[in-house]
Amino acid sequence: MTANEIRQAFLDFFASKGHQIVPSAPIVVKNDPTLMFTNAGMNQFKDLFLGEAPIKYPRVADTQRCLRVSGKHNDLEEVGIDTYHHTMFEMLGNWSFGDYFKKEAITWSWELLTDVLKLDKERLYVTVFEGDEKEGLPMDQDAYNFWKAFVPESRILKGNKKDNFWEMGDTGPCGPCSEIHFDNRSDQERAKIDGATLVNADDPQVIEIWNNVFMEFNRLKDGSLKKLPAQHVDTGMGFERLVRVIQGKTSNYDSDVFTPIINFIAESSGIPYNADATPADKDWNQAVAMRVMADHIRAIAFAIADGQLPSNNKAGYVIRRILRRAVRYAYQYLGFKDPFLNNLVPLLAEQFRGVFDELISQKDFVQKVILEEENSFLRTLENGINRFERYIQENKKGKIDGTFAFELYDTYGFPIDLTELMAREQNLAVDMEGFNAELQKQKERSRAATAIDAGDWVTVNEGEEVEFVGYDNVVAKSKILKYRKVKAKGKEQYQLVLDVTPFYAESGGQVGDAGFLIGDSETVGINDTKKENGLIIHFADKLPNDLNAEFSAKVDVVKRTLTENNHSATHLLHAALKTVLGDHVNQKGSLVNEDILRFDFSHFSKVTDAEVAQIEAIVNQKIRENIALKEERNVPYQKALESGVTALFGEKYGDYVRVITFDDNYSKELCGGTHVGATGQIGYFKIVSESAVAAGVRRIEAITALKAEEYINNQSRLLTEIKELLKNPKDLTKSLETLLEENNKLKKEIEKSVLEKATTLKERLKEKAKIVNGIKFIAQEIDLPSPDAIKNLAYQLKDIFDNLFLVLASSIDGKPNLTIMISENLVQERGLDAGKIIRELAKEINGGGGGQPFYATAGGKNPEGLKIALEKAESYLV
């Protein structure tokens, strides 16, 4: 069976068992502050396990894109080295939300694996939870008994809490689990060693392929376990591992999930792929490099397709790190000195056609982003290597300092193993203790900046569902269902969940509402509203005194209205961009608040001034037409798509969606945000900036309504002031042109004067040169008006003299400056270094500086020290 046939067999099997087949959630997580990426199949169903959302389908099956590179589930360093770890992987899963439980899950697992997929029953082992006395948890006897119907007791193994009690994190849904392992060894190996002894022992050929988790508990903040409202089944089967064992391979990378890409890399590099290479073989690094690239391109491409661009922080940094790791392997071991990774995108997109079409529809965009990232890192890689070589020349030590290794890692994006390799080539070691200390400091800074300490939810009133009425009302009668205390960045706040709320929760780029909870005797401010796993959460600085009271939940109408102006304007802008630039334009991110709208979109060149003007004109025309909002709720998703609606990549849409239309022939989008009743309310739309965000992504920032009016008034006021300064000329443009011409003429005259002065100085300094220890030494205070003029003079003197050691002192606008120029031969032969010397001399003027070994400058605060610095300079030649 091919990989595609195996995946389909799984989905068809569970469809026959009454499961609804649902699409994969995006790999990039939104509305869950505890996760950056989907790292398990259960992530998108977390709110169902906790009873915080209604259950639409009691039985569900899917294949979910997952990413594991950081935190508790960190597989990055094993990727490419072993046979079965990956960054992105598919998790086949079947789910029961309060429906069937252990018996059915176990029975169907066995039926699928042995009857449908024809795995050898004698090679299958299963594990069950042995219990934990400290937790007060008994052995999972039910699972054990159900497995006895299919598997001999010698192959039913008891596992401890580490292996057989699944938890998604420090808190949250959890429960005992039952794993299924496959012994992929040869018959001869199996005859020598019992496979039962190798289960969960990190044997690369005795591997877990499926895990049936029986969700029964919720782990609270204090570590205790609380029974969930209902029992659930959460299963996850590693697709890549399953394909491997069905296809009779000993490595995931040898299955047809990876071979097309690995073969393409091998052909392109001209280096054969040796699947059997070991660390002792000379082609081991090349084999690892090909596996790393084949794996990493999947994580990179799908993350970008799902809306996460590479960047220097949070989720974007994770993607950039994976990408650079792949580029480094390609550069170092396969000889790809030019961008190559991006060439794998079309092949990957075709491989997933009909499975994850998000990639095929954005193939060109994803490839362009990766290409630009490769170009950037390859330049950085070269700069970093040069920096490393300078460090080796300047520091004659037997070890690379940990702080320097961290500089390469942090500034140049060098993985530490690349630094270690380069050090070994110089017969040097890296101070890993120092490096890890610096890395730990960075992690602690990052953790402190982002850490959120959340307490357990405290129930006030019973109720599971939150009714959102904010599309129709800005005031509602509400009761508090539950609350919890949270602490972030040293500030304590409370999160409240209401039974009925008019507050819009931050989503889709639109910021959350603010407002008030008004009771009979008190008013509590709501600062923000966010969504977490589908739950609407209101942020307040304090709790109401009477938690059981009925409140009037009231939205800040001014903020909401201004935000709606900007949000509706983004829809008009999106349509205008498609009209002017082309249908390739797609939204890649947005921010909408009461002050500004920011819209990121796919486009591969700068939007010209003429195009900006045209876009602006179209949007303002639509505003003047005062087009009434057409809002359609609970539209079947497929019907909405067929109507030509614009849907955003990376968003998880349900079976029923909300459609926002401003003119059926102009703007029609899927959107959950709040909007104006008619476009005339927006008033006026003004683009204030257009810029690049990343490769293939541009950003427009614009303002509307009051902010646009303020902007126009400020521009008009500025224009009036300029006219007054120029004595109210009839032709302002001509007057400014004349002023600029006069200014340029004066600049040229000054430059000519400075040049003449520098020439005179050069002749005078030539006469001041003296020989010190075989070196032509000049140390003088001069009077020139700019650092550029001094630099030009220094280079002129360098061209005249061999063996030159030049020190110039000057005072520019009352501030002391030092300049050192040293002939290159003195740098090489005498070990003189202008950068080091200038730092010492700068102390005399209470300043600092630096530069290259042959040229350096410094500035300071004490002009009186210039004379001492000049006298001290000669000491470096003795």
Side-chain angles (χ1 to χ4, degrees):
M1 296 176 75
T2 66
N4 286 339
E5 290 169 342
I6 293 168
R7 183 191 294 109
Q8 196 59 49
F10 173 89
L11 297 174
D12 290 345
F13 176 81
F14 280 102
S16 75
K17 302 297 184 185
H19 290 65
Q20 176 72 24
I21 308 302
V22 299
S24 171
I27 207 169
V28 181
V29 173
K30 298 175 182 177
N31 297 326
D32 185 348
T34 65
L35 287 173
M36 288 193 292
F37 302 102
T38 297
N39 65 4
M42 63 81 64
N43 291 160
Q44 66 168 309
F45 305 119
K46 193 163 70 169
D47 52 340
L48 301 183
F49 292 132
L50 290 169
E52 294 174 349
I55 294 168
K56 193 179 299 180
Y57 306 110
R59 299 181 181 186
V60 164
D62 68 354
T63 178
Q64 171 66 52
R65 300 191 295 275
C66 298
L67 186 70
R68 290 184 181 174
V69 290
S70 59
K72 177 183 175 183
H73 302 291
N74 186 354
D75 299 334
L76 183 60
E77 295 311 317
E78 285 80 30
V79 173
I81 305 297
D82 66 17
T83 59
Y84 55 91
H85 277 107
H86 303 290
T87 48
M88 192 204 97
F89 58 95
E90 283 186 69
M91 187 71 84
L92 303 174
N94 58 288
W95 320 84
S96 166
F97 307 116
D99 188 21
Y100 64 82
F101 203 44
K102 297 179 184 179
K103 182 178 180 180
E104 294 86 349
I106 288 170
T107 301
W108 291 336
S109 297
W110 190 255
E111 181 183 348
L112 175 64
L113 291 176
T114 60
D115 293 351
V116 178
L117 299 177
K118 307 298 183 185
L119 286 181
D120 185 350
K121 298 177 183 179
E122 301 300 315
R123 291 175 175 267
L124 291 169
Y125 294 82
V126 299
T127 64
V128 297
F129 180 48
E130 67 181 8
D132 189 282
E133 191 175 332
K134 289 182 182 177
E135 295 270 15
L137 295 169
M139 173 190 164
D140 192 351
Q141 192 64 50
D142 287 344
Y144 191 90
N145 292 339
F146 292 137
W147 275 120
K148 283 200 298 184
F150 309 107
V151 183
E153 290 189 63
S154 62
R155 295 211 304 277
I156 305 176
L157 312 176
K158 296 175 184 177
N160 59 24
K161 183 182 167 187
K162 175 179 176 290
D163 291 325
N164 281 90
F165 193 87
W166 196 91
E167 303 193 57
M168 62 165 292
D170 294 332
T171 61
C174 55
C177 61
S178 183
E179 302 169 339
I180 304 173
H181 295 253
F182 188 83
D183 188 345
N184 204 34
R185 296 174 299 153
S186 66
D187 290 337
Q188 295 88 337
E189 290 173 312
R190 290 173 62 222
K192 292 178 185 176
I193 301 174
D194 184 358
T197 65
L198 301 177
V199 169
N200 280 327
D202 292 328
D203 188 291
Q205 298 307 321
V206 182
I207 58 171
E208 176 194 344
I209 57 172
W210 205 348
N211 192 11
N212 284 263
V213 180
F214 307 119
M215 292 287 193
E216 299 181 58
F217 306 100
N218 183 25
R219 177 76 71 183
L220 300 180
K221 172 78 172 174
D222 63 5
S224 63
L225 294 172
K226 180 183 177 182
K227 273 281 188 180
L228 289 170
Q231 295 177 324
H232 311 290
V233 171
D234 159 19
T235 85
M237 177 152 57
F239 174 66
E240 293 79 8
R241 297 184 182 193
L242 178 66
V243 173
R244 161 189 169 180
V245 299
I246 289 176
Q247 294 183 352
K249 306 297 184 181
T250 57
S251 167
N252 293 6
Y253 294 100
D254 295 341
S255 75
D256 66 344
V257 175
F258 292 99
T259 51
I261 294 177
I262 288 177
N263 290 340
F264 180 79
I265 295 169
E267 290 170 10
S268 302
S269 66
I271 300 171
Y273 173 61
N274 181 2
D276 300 319
T278 69
D281 296 326
K282 63 179 181 180
D283 54 359
W284 165 251
N285 286 330
Q286 286 93 335
V288 170
M290 292 182 193
R291 291 195 290 267
V292 166
M293 292 170 67
D295 170 274
H296 286 12
I297 188 60
R298 292 158 34 110
I300 298 160
F302 277 106
I304 294 170
D306 281 346
Q308 182 54 66
L309 296 172
S311 68
N312 282 332
N313 52 58
K314 297 184 180 178
Y317 180 71
V318 173
I319 301 307
R320 177 165 283 169
R321 179 186 173 202
I322 297 171
L323 191 151
R324 289 185 168 189
R325 189 172 189 265
V327 171
R328 193 268 297 185
Y329 270 102
Y331 179 94
Q332 187 176 339
Y333 297 118
L334 299 178
F336 289 114
K337 305 303 181 186
D338 295 315
F340 172 78
L341 199 64
N342 69 93
N343 295 323
L344 303 178
V345 173
L347 183 62
L348 186 69
E350 283 300 325
Q351 186 176 335
F352 281 99
R353 183 188 288 273
V355 182
F356 302 132
D357 284 330
E358 298 90 336
L359 189 53
I360 196 80
S361 58
Q362 299 184 85
K363 179 184 63 177
D364 293 342
F365 170 72
V366 172
Q367 188 170 3
K368 176 75 171 176
V369 171
I370 295 174
L371 172 62
E372 290 299 319
E373 279 289 314
E374 287 188 275
N375 274 320
S376 173
F377 182 53
L378 285 169
R379 288 193 296 270
T380 306
L381 194 63
E382 187 175 349
N383 291 337
I385 290 171
N386 291 338
R387 176 76 181 90
F388 179 86
E389 290 173 349
R390 286 203 307 275
Y391 176 88
I392 296 298
Q393 291 175 0
E394 295 169 4
N395 297 273
K396 308 298 183 182
K397 302 178 182 178
K399 183 178 281 191
I400 305 292
D401 285 341
T403 51
F404 176 71
F406 183 76
E407 177 193 331
L408 290 179
Y409 167 83
D410 195 42
T411 305
Y412 297 96
F414 269 42
I416 186 61
D417 49 351
L418 175 56
T419 303
E420 287 184 297
L421 176 72
M422 292 166 59
R424 281 196 300 273
E425 292 173 350
Q426 301 288 335
N427 295 316
L428 299 172
V430 176
D431 171 21
M432 288 304 299
E433 188 175 327
F435 171 83
N436 288 326
E438 292 296 323
L439 184 61
Q440 187 61 31
K441 288 179 190 174
Q442 185 192 62
K443 287 180 178 178
E444 287 170 1
R445 287 193 298 269
S446 177
R447 231 179 259 122
T450 60
I452 299 175
D453 184 12
D456 294 321
W457 287 109
V458 178
T459 301
V460 178
N461 291 290
E462 293 298 329
E464 294 182 0
E465 293 188 35
V466 177
E467 183 184 1
F468 173 65
V469 296
Y471 293 140
D472 304 309
N473 301 285
V474 290
V475 181
K477 291 296 182 182
S478 304
K479 284 191 172 183
I480 296 173
L481 292 180
K482 58 184 179 179
Y483 73 89
R484 69 180 177 186
K485 183 189 287 187
V486 295
K487 187 175 182 180
K489 297 182 179 178
K491 181 182 179 182
E492 281 191 353
Q493 282 187 304
Y494 291 90
Q495 295 179 348
L496 311 175
V497 177
L498 309 178
D499 63 341
V500 179
T501 181
F503 288 83
Y504 178 78
E506 179 181 319
S507 184
Q510 180 177 338
V511 298
D513 278 333
F516 304 93
L517 287 184
I518 303 171
D520 291 337
S521 59
E522 62 179 329
T523 296
V524 174
I526 299 299
N527 308 318
D528 198 0
T529 311
K530 295 184 183 293
K531 194 176 287 184
E532 183 174 322
N533 300 313
L535 198 64
I536 298 174
I537 296 172
H538 309 77
F539 288 74
D541 289 336
K542 67 174 186 174
L543 284 177
N545 295 322
D546 184 359
L547 291 167
N548 288 293
E550 184 176 60
F551 296 90
S552 177
K554 186 175 181 181
V555 171
D556 180 338
V557 177
V558 173
K559 179 184 176 186
R560 163 78 81 89
T561 300
L562 293 172
T563 302
E564 286 176 341
N565 292 338
N566 284 332
H567 194 174
S568 296
T570 63
H571 284 228
L572 303 181
L573 171 62
H574 195 180
L577 287 165
K578 286 180 176 289
T579 300
V580 175
L581 304 179
D583 287 335
H584 66 279
V585 168
N586 283 299
Q587 181 177 332
K588 290 298 172 186
S590 71
L591 170 67
V592 178
N593 59 31
E594 67 269 35
D595 295 321
I596 198 167
L597 68 90
R598 189 179 74 203
F599 193 79
D600 298 343
F601 56 97
S602 51
H603 187 57
F604 296 121
S605 60
K606 178 176 171 56
V607 183
T608 66
D609 291 343
E611 288 168 335
V612 167
Q614 190 179 353
I615 292 161
E616 228 175 46
I618 291 172
V619 173
N620 281 311
Q621 175 61 36
K622 294 301 177 184
I623 291 171
R624 289 191 295 274
E625 288 174 14
N626 197 26
I627 303 165
L629 166 69
K630 179 182 175 184
E631 179 203 25
E632 299 168 272
R633 303 180 194 174
N634 299 314
V635 179
Y637 178 60
Q638 201 56 42
K639 181 181 177 183
L641 290 183
E642 290 168 0
S643 73
V645 73
T646 297
L648 304 182
F649 294 110
E651 290 291 336
K652 174 72 174 174
Y653 295 108
D655 296 323
Y656 294 90
V657 293
R658 181 167 175 260
V659 179
I660 295 297
T661 304
F662 291 107
D663 183 342
D664 284 311
N665 297 316
Y666 182 68
S667 171
K668 193 170 188 178
E669 294 192 25
L670 299 185
C671 182
T674 63
H675 288 275
V676 299
T679 59
Q681 180 186 313
I682 299 169
Y684 184 69
F685 170 85
K686 178 63 183 175
I687 294 173
V688 294
S689 72
E690 189 278 341
S691 60
V693 176
V697 180
R698 307 295 300 181
R699 170 173 292 172
I700 278 179
E701 291 190 353
I703 50 179
T704 64
L706 295 177
K707 290 292 180 181
E709 184 179 329
E710 289 174 9
Y711 179 85
I712 296 299
N713 288 339
N714 287 335
Q715 293 295 306
S716 177
R717 192 179 304 113
L718 179 63
L719 187 61
T720 299
E721 290 173 358
I722 292 171
K723 283 183 176 180
E724 289 175 353
L725 286 170
L726 295 174
K727 311 299 183 187
N728 294 305
K730 291 182 180 179
D731 190 336
L732 179 61
T733 302
K734 186 175 180 181
S735 183
L736 283 171
E737 287 174 349
T738 301
L739 186 65
L740 290 172
E741 285 174 6
E742 290 174 356
N743 187 52
N744 287 332
K745 185 178 179 182
L746 288 171
K747 276 185 178 179
K748 288 178 181 178
E749 289 177 2
I750 291 170
E751 287 171 2
K752 183 180 177 183
S753 173
V754 169
L755 185 62
E756 290 173 352
K757 190 172 185 179
T759 302
T760 303
L761 270 174
K762 182 179 70 174
E763 295 303 319
R764 183 163 62 84
L765 290 173
K766 281 168 62 177
E767 297 172 1
K768 297 284 185 179
K770 64 178 181 178
I771 305 298
V772 178
N773 201 13
I775 296 171
K776 290 186 177 69
F777 176 62
I778 301 174
Q780 290 290 318
E781 186 167 356
I782 60 172
D783 179 21
L784 282 176
S786 71
D788 284 343
I790 296 170
K791 182 178 181 180
N792 182 270
L793 173 61
Y795 272 90
Q796 286 187 48
L797 288 166
K798 181 189 172 192
D799 291 339
I800 295 172
F801 291 111
D802 294 325
N803 299 325
L804 176 67
F805 185 99
L806 170 70
V807 184
L808 298 176
S810 62
S811 186
I812 300 173
D813 296 327
K815 295 180 180 180
N817 286 267
L818 290 168
T819 299
I820 297 179
M821 174 70 79
I822 303 175
S823 297
E824 277 92 341
N825 65 301
L826 296 180
V827 173
Q828 297 292 328
E829 297 166 10
R830 301 284 186 102
L832 294 173
D833 188 320
K836 290 181 179 179
I837 296 170
I838 201 89
R839 282 192 286 272
E840 290 300 316
L841 297 184
K843 293 176 183 178
E844 305 300 333
I845 58 172
N846 296 341
Q852 298 167 291
F854 66 91
Y855 181 78
T857 60
K861 300 175 183 177
N862 177 28
E864 301 300 321
L866 288 174
K867 184 177 180 182
I868 300 171
L870 290 173
E871 292 171 354
K872 189 176 178 180
E874 189 171 346
S875 66
Y876 290 94
L877 306 183
V878 179

